[in-house]
Amino acid sequence: MHQLLNTLYITTEGSYIRVDHETLKVTVEKETKLQVPVHHIGSVVCFGDVLMSPAAIHRCASDGRSVVWLDRNGRFKARVEGPVSGNVLLRRAQHEASLNSDVALAIARNMVAGKVQNTRQVVLRGAREVSNTEHADELRETADMLARTVQQLPTCETLDALRGFEGEAARVYFSILDRLVTADRETFRMNGRSRRPPLDPLNALLSFLYALLMNDCVAAAEGVGLDPQVGFLHAIRPGRAALALDLMEELRCILADRLVLTLINRRQITAEDFLSRPGGAVHLYDESRKAVIVAYQKRKQEEITHSLLDQKMPLGLVPHVQARLLARTLRKDMEAYIPFTTR
């Protein structure tokens, strides 16, 4: 049996988190809003101006529970964690692999293959479901292009070439993503991917969910003893969790993009959920962020069958499984890293 520990998301600014016996208690202006057993929590994520008592921080750190602070829009600000877990030999193998161009390329290539294959499945599913014939044709053409990209990946001899294929596949995918929107297409029209800041509601939703997924992938890497800063596809930069970004790639469209489309098409998120700021930036209102977080938590509880392991598990467990498969690859217990793919 798999146990998926919950992430405690605190989105109300002015909240204060403290330890009360074996629970974490969240208060706002001295009024208790939530009290949850510590052993039910895998990590704590705070949005905006949220305070935490030293005792609560110490308890989480000693138990191996990370505490993350993000700004109101989901951008990473700080992270507190206890002593580094995992075998130092695994981290050394990871660092050595990242410096070996052939090994790094092989791992990165399979990650990109998983990402492109999964985005292709989202596009094909959309082509079957949309009623607009012209959009369906565009989606099928995009799916064909993505299939060709997967076939060409083995020819990549450098990371730069691989990143070029990945970047072009992402550009084409995002150029047609709004064709999968069936409700309020005017509000959720998308002119490519915009990040910092997001310039339309669809990009704002994607960026917010990617921030949540990023935190889960950092936790997954740390949970098996990997260094989340040392990746293979994404270049190493100070303050950048390159490995977490790597692990995210094959999971973005599954855990985030499909959820975005569901929220929009079921009208659970509408134009009224977004705030436009000077300069063109678009962000979710506070209450809307809470609704998205609840939907994300529910999405992670959905059960899937892992294609490699042939086991049923909650979708939220997949980042942890993939991190474990990567660790086995680095230890040479597996010949190659196998990405998570859907049908």
Side-chain angles (χ1 to χ4, degrees):
M1 179 180 293
H2 299 290
Q3 182 178 9
L4 182 61
L5 292 177
N6 292 317
T7 300
L8 176 62
Y9 293 98
I10 308 298
T11 61
T12 302
E13 294 199 274
S15 297
Y16 183 71
I17 310 168
R18 66 183 181 87
V19 176
D20 185 356
H21 296 92
E22 291 300 309
T23 69
L24 285 184
K25 180 180 286 188
V26 182
T27 59
V28 179
E29 296 181 352
K30 298 184 178 179
E31 180 183 350
T32 300
K33 297 293 185 180
L34 178 70
Q35 192 162 353
V36 59
V38 174
H39 67 272
H40 286 174
I41 299 171
S43 60
V44 180
V45 178
C46 306
F47 288 84
D49 184 14
V50 174
L51 300 177
M52 193 170 192
S53 73
I57 294 174
H58 294 168
R59 176 61 188 271
C60 288
S62 64
D63 290 348
R65 295 175 174 85
S66 63
V67 182
V68 179
W69 277 271
L70 310 175
D71 69 13
R72 295 174 68 253
N73 301 307
R75 183 178 291 188
F76 176 83
K77 290 299 179 182
R79 183 181 188 88
V80 175
E81 59 187 350
V84 173
S85 62
N87 190 332
V88 66
L89 297 179
L90 172 60
R91 292 199 174 207
R92 186 170 73 177
Q94 177 189 358
H95 294 177
E96 291 174 348
S98 72
L99 298 173
N100 185 316
S101 58
D102 291 336
V103 175
L105 178 61
I107 293 172
R109 182 190 290 121
N110 285 359
M111 289 175 167
V112 172
K115 173 184 180 177
V116 178
Q117 178 62 23
N118 287 335
T119 55
R120 180 174 180 269
Q121 291 304 316
V122 171
V123 172
L124 283 173
R125 181 176 180 176
R128 293 192 298 267
E129 295 177 353
V130 297
S131 57
N132 186 305
T133 303
E134 182 180 345
H135 288 173
D137 290 341
E138 287 180 307
L139 291 166
R140 280 190 286 269
E141 289 175 7
T142 299
D144 290 342
M145 188 282 290
L146 294 173
R148 291 193 294 272
T149 298
V150 173
Q151 294 170 353
Q152 292 173 313
L153 292 181
T155 67
C156 293
E157 297 183 353
T158 66
L159 278 172
D160 284 342
L162 179 65
R163 290 167 182 150
F165 275 107
E166 185 273 333
E168 179 61 16
R171 185 193 66 78
V172 173
Y173 169 69
F174 283 120
S175 73
I176 56 87
L177 185 61
D178 65 359
R179 309 297 195 276
L180 303 177
V181 173
T182 58
D184 195 0
R185 286 187 44 77
E186 191 58 37
T187 294
F188 294 101
R189 191 175 300 279
M190 184 181 187
N191 185 24
R193 180 80 176 105
S194 57
R195 297 174 176 81
R196 298 179 180 177
L199 300 176
D200 57 67
L202 187 47
N203 270 295
L205 268 176
L206 288 170
S207 291
F208 185 68
L209 279 166
Y210 288 165
L212 301 183
L213 177 57
M214 172 71 161
N215 178 68
D216 287 345
C217 288
V218 170
E222 291 176 337
V224 299
L226 291 166
D227 185 343
Q229 304 294 316
V230 178
F232 303 96
L233 174 62
H234 290 83
I236 298 174
R237 296 177 188 168
R240 184 191 208 187
L243 181 63
L245 290 170
D246 287 357
L247 291 171
M248 278 180 64
E249 292 299 346
E250 64 210 57
L251 303 175
R252 286 177 187 263
C253 64
I254 299 168
L255 271 162
D257 300 8
R258 284 176 56 178
L259 178 56
V260 164
L261 294 169
T262 297
L263 291 171
I264 294 171
N265 292 338
R266 292 181 180 176
R267 300 185 185 275
Q268 294 171 275
I269 294 293
T270 65
E272 286 71 31
D273 291 295
F274 298 91
L275 170 67
S276 295
R277 297 186 178 276
V282 177
H283 299 300
L284 285 157
Y285 281 110
D286 291 351
E287 288 302 314
S288 305
R289 289 205 313 269
K290 292 179 184 178
V292 173
I293 288 171
V294 170
Y296 179 66
Q297 291 290 72
K298 289 182 178 178
R299 174 69 171 149
K300 291 199 296 181
Q301 295 292 341
E302 293 179 14
E303 197 168 72
I304 55 91
T305 299
H306 194 285
S307 53
L308 175 64
L309 304 180
D310 194 28
Q311 292 181 7
K312 289 187 176 181
M313 65 183 66
L315 188 51
L317 206 59
V318 173
H320 300 268
V321 171
Q322 294 307 119
R324 197 164 297 280
L325 292 176
L326 177 59
R328 291 187 63 189
T329 303
L330 294 170
R331 291 192 183 103
K332 303 188 186 314
D333 295 332
M334 292 175 56
E335 289 187 9
Y337 172 74
I338 307 299
F340 176 75
T341 56
T342 59
R343 296 179 181 177

